[in-house]
């Protein structure tokens, strides 16, 4: 999901988010490991490797910090702050961003709704813009979830 949740990895633990994005003329392989060394600060350092027409190279690097102001509990809500940067070596540019992730738990965590409101400074275009996201996780069965989102 692009829309982030108001949760962080457990204290003294790590997680790995990864995905593959197929574009028309290239394939991006992303890996974003995140660790919480202190209890309320999740640090992420990772990026992408892009393959296009037989050539593979590192293309984007991400550094992000995320903290919670209010931990989400079952049938409750949570809110935090995330901020970071993305370096785009091919464009010789760096983006900066910050957003407020908010999550709401409903029906004993069977439905969780996420909202993000934030700011993006695009380094290459040298412009700033508002960012937003709205996402949901809906449990359909014990091990089956429907995840949907919209963002801009």
């Amino acid at each position: 999901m692009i829309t982030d949740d108001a949760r962080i990895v457990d204290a003294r633990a790590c997680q790995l988010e990864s995905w593959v994005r197929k574009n028309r003329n290239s394939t991006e392989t992303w890996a974003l490991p995140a660790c919480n060394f202190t209890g309320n600060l999740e640090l992420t350092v990772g990026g992408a490797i892009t393959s296009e027409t037989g050539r593979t190279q590192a293309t984007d690097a991400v550094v992000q910090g995320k903290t919670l102001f209010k931990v989400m509990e079952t049938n409750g809500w949570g809110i935090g702050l995330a901020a970071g940067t993305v370096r785009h070596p091919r464009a010789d540019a760096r983006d900066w961003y910050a957003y407020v992730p908010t999550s709401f738990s409903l029906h004993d965590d069977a439905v969780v709704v996420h909202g993000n409101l934030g700011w993006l400074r695009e380094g290459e275009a040298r412009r700033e813009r508002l960012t937003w996201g709205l996402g949901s996780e809906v449990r359909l069965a014990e091990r089956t979830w429907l995840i949907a989102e919209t963002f801009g």
Side-chain angles (χ1 to χ4, degrees):
M1 288 182 71
I2 298 297
T3 305
D4 202 356
D5 57 4
R7 297 180 272 212
I8 59 176
V9 68
D10 294 337
R12 291 172 295 286
C14 296
Q15 70 178 14
L16 174 65
E17 290 187 33
S18 63
W19 65 93
V20 175
R21 178 178 174 181
K22 296 282 289 176
N23 302 307
R24 183 172 299 214
N25 297 316
S26 65
T27 301
E28 300 172 22
T29 303
W30 284 85
L32 294 176
C35 293
N36 180 349
F37 300 108
T38 67
N40 194 27
L41 178 61
E42 179 183 280
L43 296 175
T44 301
V45 178
I49 294 175
T50 301
S51 300
E52 51 188 355
T53 58
R55 199 176 67 189
T56 300
Q57 62 182 349
T59 53
D60 293 306
V62 175
V63 176
Q64 175 182 288
K66 181 176 166 185
T67 190
L68 298 179
F69 302 126
K70 182 181 183 312
V71 174
M72 183 182 69
E73 297 176 3
T74 300
N75 297 319
W77 61 280
I79 188 167
L81 176 67
T85 184
V86 181
R87 185 170 181 278
H88 309 285
R90 293 193 314 182
D92 193 28
R94 180 181 298 274
D95 298 340
W96 295 91
Y97 64 89
Y99 60 91
V100 175
T102 307
S103 296
F104 299 89
S105 165
L106 307 165
H107 305 292
D108 297 326
D109 291 338
V111 176
V112 182
V113 177
H114 310 291
N116 293 176
L117 187 61
W119 159 85
L120 170 64
R121 166 72 172 148
E122 294 177 313
E124 186 175 16
R126 298 181 191 265
R127 65 179 172 185
E128 297 182 26
R129 58 176 51 191
L130 176 74
T131 61
W132 61 271
L134 182 62
S136 64
E137 302 172 39
V138 180
R139 185 173 44 228
L140 301 177
E142 184 179 343
R143 297 176 62 183
T144 305
W145 291 80
L146 173 66
I147 298 173
E149 70 177 331
T150 184
F151 55 89

